Amino acid sequence: MKKIFAFILIAGLSLGISSCDKFFDSMEGDLSKVAAEDLLNTENGLLSLLANLYSSLPGIGLSDNDKNQFFGAGARDLPSYGNTVSGFWNYTQVRAVNVFLQAVEDCREKGVLDDKAADAYKGEALFIRAYFYFASVRIYGGVPIVTEPLDKYYGTEEEDKLYVPRSTEKDTWDWVLEQFEEAAQLLPDTQTQEMRATKYSAYALEARAALWAASVSKYWDRATLNSNYEAVQKKLSYMEKSYANAYYQKAIDAASKVMADDSGYKLYGADPSDIKSAITNLTNLFQTWQKDEGLFGRSYRTGGDATTGAQNWVPNQWASGYTGT
């Protein structure tokens, strides 16, 4: 496979790739010569692929009333089946994560990565894949869980393995939570580059996913789904009230790890001395990246300002240069 990965390589620069010169030395300045072998057998190549995976994460909107964003309370109501935030179904990127995981293990075996580095990369990949599936299960219920590249089955006697059936909704939620937990165990407490997942990013998303699963379980009888639907009868899109307490406990446990004294995280400006200080804290919270409580974020430059989209959500009276357009 001699595919061109120039666009991935360019995206990878945003993650602060080290020793870039060595990666380019053998390419004679021609990015078209970046082949799969170069990306899958060097740490710089892995970073380039990892950057592409991060860039594919579903969006994180800030309004619970916006159905076209990832965390909106009503997003599940929107009947969208495209590769959009509200209907995330991107098995191309799931495959990319699985290829990346395979490449990490190959690099481990070849000595390109030591165990500590390989585990950290694996943790990031598991975090991203769990993030993808979190985006899917909250929209569709149970979905096919694919944990390996399926290419090897094409044209073989095992071709039936290409047709991965949907898991039940509960099994899918449970798997997502297990993936976040495993990622947390592998990820470092901090990253050398900001905007990359850490142990506490994984715990935070685990808490969020568990809370979502708990809420879906507790209020399932309010769902506008006909019990005669095949997907409901097979529990592909189905939850029970009896599941709720266990998911709430998982949310509490994961969140407690983020809030622990040794996590390094705390609420920004939690104890303002007066109203003026509280106003200043609110302004700074929206306008700059706050390491105190910044568990995970997206930026076009490491540690930089948020996108204009986020700027538009800043309360008008504090938005620098905001015109309301």
Side-chain angles (χ1 to χ4, degrees), residues 9-274:
L9 184 62
I10 293 171
L13 298 179
S14 66
L15 286 182
I17 296 175
S18 60
S19 304
C20 292
D21 290 342
K22 293 181 180 179
F23 189 58
F24 284 101
D25 281 347
S26 61
M27 301 177 194
E28 301 174 359
D30 185 358
L31 289 179
S32 68
K33 294 183 179 180
V34 183
E37 292 89 336
D38 298 311
L39 291 172
L40 299 178
N41 290 287
T42 67
E43 185 168 4
N44 284 335
L46 289 177
L47 278 167
S48 301
L49 293 175
L50 183 61
N52 182 55
L53 298 181
Y54 272 113
S55 71
S56 301
L57 287 174
I60 306 175
L62 300 177
S63 167
D64 278 348
N65 295 319
D66 184 357
K67 295 181 179 181
N68 292 308
Q69 51 85 20
F70 183 36
F71 288 143
R76 185 167 183 153
D77 298 333
L78 187 66
S80 171
Y81 296 92
N83 289 337
T84 62
V85 173
S86 58
F88 190 83
W89 183 276
N90 195 336
Y91 278 86
T92 298
Q93 289 301 325
V94 170
R95 177 186 178 278
V97 174
N98 292 335
V99 169
F100 180 85
L101 285 166
Q102 196 173 68
V104 168
E105 294 306 318
D106 289 344
C107 285
R108 189 201 301 265
E109 292 179 7
K110 295 174 183 177
V112 175
L113 298 174
D114 59 25
D115 285 339
K116 182 178 180 181
D119 285 347
Y121 280 120
K122 180 179 179 181
E124 285 186 88
L126 294 180
F127 171 86
I128 292 169
R129 190 172 65 185
Y131 199 129
F132 288 163
Y133 273 92
F134 180 20
S136 293
V137 65
R138 61 186 289 278
I139 301 296
Y140 300 114
V143 294
I145 296 174
V146 182
T147 59
E148 63 175 342
L150 302 178
D151 311 55
K152 60 186 176 182
Y153 300 121
Y154 284 102
T156 71
E157 294 180 354
E158 297 181 287
E159 200 166 45
D160 59 317
K161 291 185 178 180
L162 296 173
Y163 306 98
V164 181
R166 288 177 67 179
S167 296
T168 66
E169 179 162 359
K170 185 177 188 305
D171 286 346
T172 306
W173 280 114
D174 289 346
W175 184 80
V176 167
L177 297 177
E178 290 168 3
Q179 293 294 290
F180 278 130
E181 181 66 32
E182 185 177 354
Q185 298 299 320
L186 294 171
L187 284 165
D189 290 3
T190 60
Q191 288 279 13
T192 54
Q193 293 95 22
E194 293 182 8
M195 310 297 172
R196 289 175 65 178
T198 66
K199 172 191 295 186
Y200 299 105
S201 306
Y203 281 136
L205 261 294
E206 181 182 354
R208 180 116 199 186
L211 183 60
W212 197 290
S215 299
V216 170
S217 299
K218 184 174 181 178
Y219 301 108
W220 184 254
D221 56 356
R222 300 184 185 182
T224 55
L225 291 175
N226 191 312
S227 61
N228 293 323
Y229 291 164
E230 182 178 352
V232 175
Q233 292 178 348
K234 292 183 177 181
K235 299 186 177 182
L236 303 177
S237 185
Y238 174 87
M239 298 287 273
E240 294 181 5
K241 284 181 176 290
S242 61
Y243 305 157
N245 287 342
Y247 286 128
Y248 280 126
Q249 189 59 54
K250 286 181 181 292
I252 292 170
D253 292 344
S256 296
K257 293 172 183 175
V258 177
M259 296 186 292
D261 291 338
D262 61 354
S263 72
Y265 291 97
K266 60 184 179 180
L267 293 177
Y268 176 76
D271 298 304
S273 57
D274 51 40

Side-chain angles (χ1 to χ4, degrees), residues 278-294:
I279 293 173
T280 300
N281 288 343
L282 178 63
T283 304
N284 292 338
L285 179 63
F286 277 99
Q287 293 186 343
T288 59
W289 173 253
Q290 301 301 332
K291 293 184 179 180
D292 283 353
E293 61 178 272

